[in-house]
Amino acid sequence: MFIEIDRDSDVPLFEQIYQHIKRQILNGEISSDEKLPSKRQLQNDLSVSMTTVESAYDLLLGEALIYSRPKSGFYTVHIEQLQHVKPPALHHKVNRPAEKSYTLPLGTIDTSIVQSDVLKQIAREIFSNDELLNMGDESGEKELKEQIRHYLHINRGVNCSLDQIFIGPSTEFLLEQVLFLLKYPAVTIEDPGYPVVKNILRRLESPVDYAPILKDGIDVAAVHTFNNQAVHLTPSHQFPSGVVLSLKKRIRLLNHASAAESYIIEDDYDSEFRYTARPLPSLQGLDKNDRTVYMSSFSKSLYPSLRLACMVLPQSLAEQYFETGLACNVPRQMQHIIAEFMKRGYLDRHVNRVRKIYREKMIRITEWIKDNYEEAEIYGEHTGMHFMLRIPGKDLRQSAERYGLVHGNSYSDLNSMTDTVLIGIGEKDAEEIVGILKKFFESLKEG
Amino acid sequence: MFIEIDRDSDVPLFEQIYQHIKRQILNGEISSDEKLPSKRQLQNDLSVSMTTVESAYDLLLGEALIYSRPKSGFYTVHIEQLQHVKPPALHHKVNRPAEKSYTLPLGTIDTSIVQSDVLKQIAREIFSNDELLNMGDESGEKELKEQIRHYLHINRGVNCSLDQIFIGPSTEFLLEQVLFLLKYPAVTIEDPGYPVVKNILRRLESPVDYAPILKDGIDVAAVHTFNNQAVHLTPSHQFPSGVVLSLKKRIRLLNHASAAESYIIEDDYDSEFRYTARPLPSLQGLDKNDRTVYMSSFSKSLYPSLRLACMVLPQSLAEQYFETGLACNVPRQMQHIIAEFMKRGYLDRHVNRVRKIYREKMIRITEWIKDNYEEAEIYGEHTGMHFMLRIPGKDLRQSAERYGLVHGNSYSDLNSMTDTVLIGIGEKDAEEIVGILKKFFESLKEG
């Protein structure tokens, strides 16, 4: 066997011998069940030490590329040739759909409102605690659940025990878990509505019906007619219309769910940022019959990249969660950072402070529109970080595209929102937003 | 209308009036479409200011509990009564299955091996960067993907572009995404095997076939006979047997997948901790035909509660990931902390240091067993943080229970491991483990 070895190389000699024989076997240059030179013979041929040869043969044995026959020597195993179906390519080019970037996006915040100095300090403390490096409670940390229970009880009227609270990285993630717990039921959802919800239902092959949004919230009669095992809705601030579900409808939904033994999945989206009157109590808080799954995210109330959300499950679904071995998938340290942030009162203060900032922005912008463009109609300005702007009868698709505004039809399968754009107020300051809208309105007059 | 108001209360007068009327409406004490007293009348009745009455009526109007008829006054809306199906209970008791706690658990580490001082320092820096508070790349941060690509290329022979890398909180989470991308295919899995994989397949209603584990890895003939669209395996360190898949079988699996256009899902579990010889190259690294999904977790190589994993997808599945709007669900800050940790070389150093610690532990413990208990067989001691201990012909179920050891049958649907226990070496030090095993062996002799 001819093996060229390089005594000046950084690669050890045993490694060179091993690599050479391996390559020959894999390339079919040595056929299967062929006898290799004995260790002594190879040692003499190459003028290397016995240890070197032994190390090389041990590696080949370890990878089952050769085998030994007692009192005979070493033989190559039979190895198939690796097939190349396609022309070889080391790095694949992956085509990614272009991401739309908006001038006034809906989910983006002005990051200077977040008290990152406090977060930084708490992170330092939490990362010093080695006890948090092993796994904790798979459903979420007790310390965080305690804070969430208190917060949701005070602010949203939610009533539950700690074991009914489950942590997750996002409401989308939690929704998938709920759909599994409900055995992928048929679901009634809102139209217009949050497209990610539709996406998840499609992905998990749950059948879907659409209920339209009326001025006091989802069309309850439609929900009852569909009579699906679950209805998913955003009662605090319907996305994207901004409509708040009336108390009357809340009660009708709850009573129907009790009678039909179906479930209400309440995504309490944007409930923190209600500017006029007080928020209506959550459906979960009104529910006396365990028909509501409540969920809420910290993406809006704290910051979008946090990836932290929670849900409250009725008793039977909570027990199923534990039995079927679901898991929260949120880093334990991150849970403790937010638990501490809440425990020290920073979340309450943050939400109060930010609510004021958004309210002032919202008033400044919508008043300016009302004063200058009478034909414009504004919806959903009493809650949240965006509002709907409608110019009745006007097709806004082209202008929205041109000014990078979010067009209403992005959120309606029924394309019912041609004359509507959505204005996010989270990222830019009020004067900047007014400036952009001014140009937008002027272009409409020209067009 | 009689409303008792308490002028000494902390609750403002308008709130008291609002609450009182609301309660009466919800309890059906005022029937629907009943006329309320005029604002002026109520003002006189209660001797309060007009503003107080107006605020109360505005809240009721805002919640759509009353409506106004022009030139007539305010009327109650029709509200259903909330139904109580069950006796009311504020806090539900949720029954949780008792968690088994093991003396020598498999996934737990001695946390003192982690350089938390470094992590703490990096966390401080990352939490100071406000730019990370808004959403980043939904598939994972570029900075982390760059580090992972380099690391996997050097250490595991993985070849891929950045856009083929996807981040997630766990391999379980990523497996769910892969199963969706493959449209919930029939999957061949290993038996014995990792129970969480079985769990996920059951949850997503993917059909399953079991291939047994032979001494050089999964039974490839069985995989070919089942001819499913995907096979899931742990080739670096088969869980729980510790068997390493031979190169010969790697090539056969790859060639079969190319011919059948099926997929290999490679969970590169425990590949970092191989104590003898070098690790075999990953299947992904050998694959020339885009049939391999590679995944790996940082839970073992760094620490269990981190919740960070990655996968490498073939080009077509990568494009589908982006088209269908999947998301990584890992906090952006956490991704940057680990990216920095890797960039500064701490992960390489950590893995090398810890490999040495585990190797020494492993040798000390297994040598002790070999010296003292000849009847014991040891498997899977060359890789990872646990090994298999078999006492041929002996039913170990009771002793395992008594000494809190993990019994083999926990991982086999075929109950093929009655005479086997699994010994985790991650958490306790070598002498402590030897002490526990000594008692275990002595009890076997008595029994």
Side-chain angles (χ1 to χ4, degrees):
Chain A
M1 174 175 271
F2 177 73
I3 300 179
E4 198 175 346
I5 54 176
D6 176 0
R7 287 174 199 278
D8 300 327
S9 163
D10 286 344
V11 182
L13 292 177
F14 76 88
E15 174 84 28
Q16 293 186 41
I17 298 169
Y18 153 75
Q19 288 290 358
H20 181 92
I21 300 178
K22 178 174 175 177
R23 205 162 40 237
Q24 289 202 311
I25 296 173
L26 292 183
N27 294 342
E29 293 162 27
I30 314 178
S31 56
S32 59
D33 299 310
E34 193 170 310
K35 191 170 186 223
L36 290 178
S38 73
K39 289 181 188 172
R40 188 154 308 278
Q41 190 190 327
L42 199 60
Q43 184 201 353
N44 292 330
D45 286 359
L46 303 177
S47 307
V48 294
S49 75
M50 188 46 127
T51 322
T52 299
V53 176
E54 273 179 346
S55 302
Y57 274 35
D58 281 354
L59 285 172
L60 293 167
L61 281 167
E63 294 191 7
L65 286 166
I66 63 175
Y67 61 97
S68 75
R69 284 192 199 149
K71 296 183 186 160
S72 165
F74 295 97
Y75 292 81
T76 56
V77 299
H78 172 70
I79 294 264
E80 282 177 38
Q81 299 301 298
L82 256 178
Q83 303 298 325
H84 287 238
V85 176
K86 305 185 197 174
L90 260 190
H91 297 303
H92 283 304
K93 172 138 184 49
V94 173
N95 292 312
R96 288 183 69 160
E99 275 200 21
K100 254 192 166 155
S101 108
Y102 290 108
T103 320
L104 300 173
L106 304 190
T108 316
I109 63 165
D110 170 4
T111 56
S112 69
I113 61 170
V114 179
Q115 283 189 282
S116 36
D117 52 332
V118 174
L119 283 170
K120 184 173 73 182
Q121 174 54 36
I122 296 175
R124 235 177 85 92
E125 295 170 31
I126 297 298
F127 273 91
S128 306
N129 182 359
D130 281 356
E131 281 175 29
L132 300 178
L133 297 175
N134 273 315
M135 286 297 288
D137 187 330
E138 287 273 21
S139 67
E141 293 294 284
K142 185 167 157 282
E143 290 80 355
L144 180 60
K145 290 182 184 177
E146 278 167 350
Q147 294 305 318
I148 286 175
R149 180 166 75 158
H150 181 74
Y151 184 85
L152 292 182
H153 183 68
I154 299 292
N155 293 289
R156 309 296 305 123
V158 168
N159 289 311
C160 64
S161 66
L162 283 191
D163 282 342
Q164 286 178 268
I165 298 178
F166 297 86
I167 307 299
S170 58
T171 50
E172 292 83 348
F173 176 93
L174 295 170
L175 178 58
E176 289 197 26
Q177 294 190 326
V178 171
L179 292 172
F180 158 67
L181 293 173
L182 297 178
K183 303 185 176 60
Y184 308 114
V187 183
T188 303
I189 63 173
E190 302 170 318
D191 188 281
Y194 194 40
V196 179
V197 169
K198 229 176 287 176
N199 224 333
I200 290 168
L201 290 163
R202 197 176 301 136
R203 187 189 310 153
L204 295 179
E205 299 171 0
S206 263
V208 169
D209 287 303
Y210 297 104
I213 298 301
L214 311 177
K215 70 178 198 324
D216 55 349
I218 196 164
D219 182 344
V220 174
V223 174
H224 294 182
T225 305
F226 292 133
N227 205 18
N228 284 324
Q229 216 221 317
V231 53
H232 178 280
L233 70 174
T234 49
S236 281
H237 185 222
Q238 202 277 328
F239 185 89
S241 71
V243 162
V244 178
L245 185 69
S246 70
L247 186 61
K248 183 174 164 171
K249 283 193 165 176
R250 286 172 197 242
I251 293 172
R252 282 178 61 203
L253 281 171
L254 284 166
N255 285 346
H256 179 262
S258 302
E261 300 199 337
S262 61
Y263 286 94
I264 298 168
I265 304 171
E266 172 179 32
D267 183 342
D268 201 21
Y269 170 74
D270 256 1
S271 63
E272 290 88 354
F273 301 122
R274 185 155 163 88
Y275 309 126
T276 54
R278 77 213 52 219
L280 285 173
S282 65
L283 282 155
Q284 201 279 352
L286 290 170
D287 182 10
K288 309 294 182 198
N289 303 309
D290 254 7
R291 308 315 311 177
T292 312
V293 170
Y294 175 94
M295 51 180 72
S296 178
S297 161
F298 288 86
S299 295
K300 285 286 155 61
S301 54
L302 254 170
Y303 56 93
S305 76
L306 175 59
R307 305 289 86 197
L308 188 69
C310 63
M311 67 176 169
V312 177
L313 291 180
Q315 179 186 11
S316 61
L317 295 183
E319 289 180 352
Q320 252 180 273
Y321 180 107
F322 291 116
E323 281 159 22
T324 51
L326 294 177
C328 78
N329 271 306
V330 177
R332 202 172 169 197
Q333 290 154 329
M334 217 64 186
Q335 295 185 55
H336 279 265
I337 290 171
I338 301 308
E340 270 306 306
F341 191 82
M342 293 175 81
K343 195 173 172 189
R344 298 181 194 178
Y346 286 109
L347 182 64
D348 287 324
R349 270 179 268 167
H350 173 79
V351 166
N352 287 332
R353 188 164 49 83
V354 171
R355 185 192 293 118
K356 200 161 159 273
I357 295 172
Y358 290 150
R359 179 172 49 216
E360 281 165 12
K361 266 199 203 184
M362 193 65 103
I363 291 170
R364 164 73 182 112
I365 298 161
T366 54
E367 291 297 319
W368 177 85
I369 296 173
K370 284 176 198 154
D371 289 349
N372 290 278
Y373 299 93
E374 273 186 3
E375 70 279 24
E377 295 176 0
I378 290 168
Y379 301 92
E381 77 276 29
H382 300 303
T383 316
M385 288 161 60
H386 76 267
F387 62 91
M388 261 178 32
L389 183 64
R390 182 173 173 235
I391 321 272
K394 194 115 189 165
D395 185 338
L396 298 184
R397 283 174 293 187
Q398 280 202 334
S399 330
E401 188 71 31
R402 188 167 153 208
Y403 286 88
L405 300 182
V406 183
H407 189 263
N409 282 356
S410 328
Y411 299 111
S412 170
D413 269 19
L414 313 169
N415 286 327
S416 59
M417 295 169 74
T418 306
D419 57 2
T420 303
V421 288
L422 296 157
I423 308 299
I425 66 160
E427 186 185 279
K428 299 203 165 62
D429 72 31
E431 297 319 309
E432 222 179 324
I433 296 173
V434 164
I436 291 164
L437 289 178
K438 198 172 175 195
K439 285 189 200 148
F440 172 71
F441 278 113
E442 279 162 10
S443 82
L444 287 181
K445 286 198 170 158
E446 289 158 17
Chain B
M1 176 175 269
F2 176 73
I3 300 180
E4 196 175 347
I5 54 178
D6 175 1
R7 288 174 199 277
D8 300 326
S9 164
D10 285 343
V11 181
L13 291 178
F14 75 89
E15 174 83 28
Q16 293 188 39
I17 298 171
Y18 151 76
Q19 289 291 0
H20 181 94
I21 299 178
K22 179 174 174 179
R23 203 160 41 236
Q24 288 204 311
I25 296 172
L26 292 183
N27 295 342
E29 292 163 28
I30 315 181
S31 55
S32 60
D33 299 308
E34 191 170 313
K35 194 171 184 222
L36 291 177
S38 74
K39 290 180 186 174
R40 187 153 309 276
Q41 193 191 326
L42 199 60
Q43 181 200 355
N44 291 332
D45 285 359
L46 303 177
S47 305
V48 295
S49 77
M50 187 47 128
T51 321
T52 298
V53 175
E54 273 178 345
S55 302
Y57 274 36
D58 280 354
L59 284 173
L60 294 167
L61 281 167
E63 295 191 6
L65 286 166
I66 63 173
Y67 62 97
S68 76
R69 285 192 195 149
K71 293 182 188 163
S72 167
F74 296 96
Y75 293 81
T76 55
V77 299
H78 172 71
I79 295 263
E80 284 177 34
Q81 299 301 298
L82 256 178
Q83 303 299 325
H84 287 238
V85 175
K86 306 186 198 171
L90 260 192
H91 298 302
H92 283 303
K93 170 132 188 50
V94 174
N95 293 314
R96 289 183 70 161
E99 273 198 25
K100 251 193 167 153
S101 108
Y102 291 109
T103 320
L104 300 173
L106 303 191
T108 315
I109 62 166
D110 169 3
T111 57
S112 70
I113 62 169
V114 179
Q115 284 190 279
S116 38
D117 52 332
V118 174
L119 282 170
K120 182 173 76 180
Q121 174 55 32
I122 296 177
R124 232 177 88 92
E125 294 170 33
I126 297 298
F127 274 92
S128 306
N129 182 358
D130 282 355
E131 281 175 28
L132 300 178
L133 297 175
N134 272 315
M135 284 299 285
D137 187 329
E138 287 273 21
S139 66
E141 293 294 285
K142 184 167 157 285
E143 290 79 356
L144 180 59
K145 290 182 186 178
E146 278 166 351
Q147 294 305 317
I148 286 176
R149 179 166 74 156
H150 181 74
Y151 184 86
L152 292 182
H153 183 67
I154 299 291
N155 294 289
R156 307 298 303 122
V158 169
N159 289 310
C160 64
S161 64
L162 283 191
D163 282 343
Q164 286 179 264
I165 299 178
F166 298 87
I167 308 299
S170 58
T171 49
E172 292 84 348
F173 177 92
L174 295 170
L175 178 59
E176 288 198 25
Q177 294 190 325
V178 171
L179 293 172
F180 159 67
L181 292 173
L182 297 178
K183 302 184 177 63
Y184 308 113
V187 184
T188 304
I189 64 173
E190 302 169 317
D191 188 281
Y194 194 41
V196 179
V197 169
K198 226 175 293 175
N199 222 333
I200 290 169
L201 289 163
R202 196 177 301 137
R203 188 190 309 153
L204 296 178
E205 300 172 1
S206 265
V208 170
D209 286 304
Y210 297 105
I213 297 302
L214 310 179
K215 72 180 196 323
D216 55 350
I218 195 166
D219 183 343
V220 174
V223 174
H224 295 182
T225 306
F226 293 134
N227 205 18
N228 284 324
Q229 218 223 315
V231 53
H232 178 281
L233 70 174
T234 49
S236 280
H237 186 221
Q238 201 277 330
F239 184 89
S241 72
V243 162
V244 178
L245 186 67
S246 71
L247 187 60
K248 185 172 163 170
K249 283 194 166 176
R250 284 170 200 243
I251 293 174
R252 283 178 62 201
L253 281 172
L254 284 166
N255 285 345
H256 179 263
S258 302
E261 301 199 337
S262 62
Y263 286 93
I264 297 167
I265 305 170
E266 173 180 29
D267 184 340
D268 201 21
Y269 171 74
D270 256 1
S271 63
E272 290 87 355
F273 301 121
R274 185 155 162 86
Y275 310 125
T276 54
R278 75 215 51 221
L280 285 173
S282 66
L283 284 156
Q284 202 279 350
L286 291 170
D287 182 10
K288 310 294 181 196
N289 302 310
D290 254 9
R291 308 315 311 176
T292 313
V293 170
Y294 174 94
M295 51 180 72
S296 179
S297 160
F298 288 87
S299 296
K300 285 284 155 64
S301 55
L302 256 169
Y303 56 92
S305 77
L306 175 57
R307 303 291 84 199
L308 188 69
C310 63
M311 68 174 167
V312 177
L313 290 180
Q315 180 186 10
S316 61
L317 295 183
E319 289 180 353
Q320 251 179 275
Y321 181 106
F322 290 117
E323 281 159 21
T324 50
L326 295 177
C328 78
N329 272 307
V330 178
R332 204 174 167 194
Q333 290 155 328
M334 216 65 186
Q335 295 185 57
H336 280 265
I337 290 171
I338 301 307
E340 271 305 306
F341 190 81
M342 293 175 81
K343 196 174 172 189
R344 299 181 192 177
Y346 287 109
L347 183 61
D348 287 322
R349 270 178 268 167
H350 172 79
V351 167
N352 286 332
R353 190 164 47 83
V354 170
R355 186 191 295 118
K356 199 162 162 273
I357 296 173
Y358 290 150
R359 180 174 46 217
E360 282 165 12
K361 265 197 204 184
M362 193 66 102
I363 290 171
R364 165 75 182 110
I365 297 162
T366 54
E367 291 297 318
W368 176 84
I369 295 174
K370 284 176 199 157
D371 289 349
N372 290 278
Y373 299 93
E374 271 185 6
E375 71 278 25
E377 294 175 3
I378 290 169
Y379 300 91
E381 76 276 29
H382 300 302
T383 316
M385 288 160 59
H386 75 267
F387 64 92
M388 261 178 33
L389 182 65
R390 184 173 170 235
I391 320 272
K394 193 115 189 166
D395 184 338
L396 299 183
R397 283 175 293 186
Q398 279 201 336
S399 329
E401 188 71 32
R402 185 165 155 211
Y403 286 89
L405 300 182
V406 182
H407 190 263
N409 281 355
S410 328
Y411 299 110
S412 170
D413 268 21
L414 313 170
N415 286 327
S416 59
M417 295 169 72
T418 306
D419 57 4
T420 303
V421 289
L422 295 157
I423 308 298
I425 66 159
E427 186 186 279
K428 299 204 165 61
D429 71 31
E431 297 319 308
E432 220 178 328
I433 296 173
V434 163
I436 291 164
L437 289 178
K438 196 172 177 194
K439 284 191 201 146
F440 172 70
F441 278 112
E442 280 162 9
S443 82
L444 287 182
K445 288 201 171 157
E446 290 159 17

